[in-house]
Amino acid sequence: MSSIKLLIDKLARQHDLSDAELLALITAEEKNTNAWLSAAADKIRRQYYGDTVYIRGLIEFTNYCRNNCYYCGIRAGNRHAQRYRLTQEDILACCREGYALGFRTFVLQGGEDPYFTDERICALVAAIRAQHPDCAITLSIGEKPRASYQAYFDAGANRYLLRHETADAAHYALLHPDNMSLANRKRCLFDLKEIGYQVGSGFMVGSPYQQPQNLLHDLRFLQSLQPDMIGIGPYITHAQTPFKNEPSGTLAQSLRMLSLLRLLFPYALLPATTALGTIDPNGRELGLQAGANVVMPNLSPVGVRKLYELYANKICTGEEAAQCRGCLEARVRAAGYRIVTDRGDVKRQI
Ligand code: 5AD
Ligand code: FES
């Protein structure tokens, strides 16, 4: 039998491997690798989550950002980006529409926008909490002091998404300017956990300068963090960034990392991300079949969707929330799964 197949079987039994073994899977050129990994990952996801897929309504509420990550289209230095902010009323209207469509989790994502002070974020969270007491409120607004995270939590936020992006400090420094550090990113993630948030982290696949070793370290870092959700997707080049000449990540490598994550973290919430759907029209469906169990359609008003452009050619920017919901329902069904409309909390045990 193929040594790669044997390694996959071992990973499916143990949910861990040595560094050398994981690296062998990350880099395997054997043509059946992804098919074997997908099959093993799908088996595990069905043991934990059956055929259910959780949905999260994503509200991209501001594309102002004080940071300058070299890969990101809404970086402060992108003078061509047309900036927008939603008002609290806009955001509450998105939540109301989402609620009617069956969403029980709202993800408020934005750049690190100084306009949204802690006071404003807390007021916003409290207003959503008051109107939707049965929903989970997820924030994804970047690096903050611990006291800010605590204040948002006290106002009613339950979950926080902050990708670590890459777990190697040297690689991190190639993707970000000097005023950002992996150390602070990690500090944020551990603060969030200690406060009591359900935490999501993750990384880009195929980001510039990424080596197989970096991906191994991403997996090891996630094992130390034990997040509830792990979001990954291919890096996709954006023309108005310093990385405009760098190639995008691939579908195949992204699917491979998704399956490895499912096998290492059987319990995890793994989204089939918009970036995956952007590099391939069938990307999200393939992501579900490779072990993902969450989709995060866009609830932002159609008028601003194109403006939240982290990377080129982002999908779903022309659809109404209801259209996205219906489209996803059909796509998830065609892939062999079923959308459920509860809060979709993590299942640490089967
Ligand atoms: N390609 C793919 N993903 C990107 N992100 C930011 N820029 C890009 C890009 N060019 C991801 C980062 C960030 C998340 C919100 O989007 O991982 O954490
Ligand atoms: Fe948005 Fe298909 S999921 S249009």
Side-chain angles (χ1 to χ4, degrees):
M1 190 158 26
S2 143
S3 63
I4 291 298
K5 179 71 170 73
L6 288 171
L7 273 183
I8 294 170
D9 291 346
K10 188 172 171 188
L11 176 58
R13 278 195 311 276
Q14 302 182 169
H15 307 305
D16 206 0
L17 289 174
S18 70
D19 286 358
E21 290 170 328
L22 274 177
L23 269 177
L25 290 182
I26 291 169
T27 57
E29 286 175 18
E30 148 74 58
K31 71 171 176 11
N32 291 316
T33 305
N34 279 17
W36 288 330
L37 275 172
S38 273
D42 187 62
K43 197 167 158 198
I44 295 280
R45 77 89 84 200
R46 284 179 191 272
Q47 282 167 17
Y48 276 72
Y49 290 97
D51 62 355
T52 59
V53 170
Y54 296 136
I55 49 174
R56 276 76 166 101
L58 183 63
I59 303 170
E60 297 157 338
F61 69 98
T62 172
N63 74 348
Y64 283 85
C65 190
R66 67 188 180 96
N67 288 330
N68 251 318
C69 308
Y70 300 143
Y71 45 84
C72 183
I74 66 165
R75 60 200 306 277
N78 181 5
R79 301 274 156 238
H80 300 286
Q82 187 186 328
R83 305 288 169 171
Y84 75 92
R85 279 184 191 108
L86 301 185
T87 64
Q88 180 165 311
E89 262 322 298
D90 295 332
I91 298 168
L92 289 171
C94 290
C95 293
R96 270 194 298 279
E97 185 179 10
Y99 193 90
L101 291 168
F103 291 93
R104 294 296 176 268
T105 296
F106 302 117
V107 181
L108 302 183
Q109 186 172 95
E112 291 190 17
D113 178 355
Y115 170 86
F116 282 101
T117 56
D118 289 352
E119 212 179 343
R120 288 190 170 113
I121 294 291
C122 288
L124 175 62
V125 168
I128 300 173
R129 175 56 61 231
Q131 296 195 2
H132 303 288
D134 55 332
C135 292
I137 302 175
T138 306
L139 293 175
S140 179
I141 54 175
E143 299 178 21
K144 307 280 178 181
R146 183 179 177 126
S148 304
Y149 290 147
Q150 184 70 56
Y152 312 151
F153 188 79
D154 296 340
N158 322 88
R159 301 181 181 151
Y160 204 100
L161 306 182
L162 182 72
R163 292 187 178 177
H164 66 277
E165 311 298 359
T166 174
D168 279 315
H171 186 220
Y172 195 93
L174 294 172
L175 302 182
H176 303 93
D178 286 349
N179 65 340
M180 293 179 75
S181 71
L182 180 62
N184 194 51
R185 202 83 173 170
K186 289 186 178 175
R187 189 273 303 159
C188 290
L189 285 163
F190 287 103
D191 278 351
L192 289 161
K193 264 201 98 153
E194 278 174 27
I195 290 169
Y197 283 95
Q198 297 168 33
V199 169
S201 195
F203 54 91
M204 289 177 290
V205 178
S207 59
Y209 312 111
Q210 186 178 67
Q211 301 297 318
Q213 280 281 352
N214 301 131
L215 290 169
L216 171 66
H217 294 151
D218 288 325
L219 300 177
R220 293 300 186 213
F221 169 69
L222 291 166
Q223 285 180 317
S224 72
L225 181 68
Q226 291 285 309
D228 299 283
M229 178 180 270
I230 303 172
I232 67 163
Y235 160 72
I236 301 175
T237 309
H238 187 291
Q240 289 150 3
T241 66
F243 286 160
K244 59 175 182 276
N245 296 320
E246 302 290 336
S248 295
T250 65
L251 175 71
Q253 190 67 19
S254 304
L255 293 174
R256 180 172 300 194
M257 295 311 299
L258 257 181
S259 296
L260 288 174
L261 286 170
R262 173 58 66 207
L263 292 167
L264 288 165
F265 304 89
Y267 67 84
L269 299 164
L270 295 180
T273 54
T274 306
L276 199 57
T278 297
I279 42 160
D280 188 287
N282 209 24
R284 286 173 300 175
E285 290 86 332
L286 291 168
L288 293 173
Q289 290 167 342
N293 63 336
V294 175
V295 284
M296 303 176 56
N298 205 318
L299 286 184
S300 313
V302 173
V304 301
R305 283 195 194 179
K306 274 198 187 6
L307 304 178
Y308 199 81
E309 194 188 50
L310 307 182
Y311 47 79
N313 303 318
K314 200 174 135 203
I315 53 169
C316 297
T317 56
E319 320 297 326
E320 298 289 343
Q323 289 173 318
C324 244
R325 176 74 172 80
C327 163
L328 265 186
E329 186 90 45
R331 285 170 177 267
V332 167
R333 207 174 322 113
Y337 306 94
R338 179 168 62 90
I339 285 182
V340 291
T341 57
D342 56 43
R343 278 170 45 125
D345 288 305
V346 75
K347 290 188 186 168
R348 291 274 176 179
Q349 254 101 40
I350 317 187

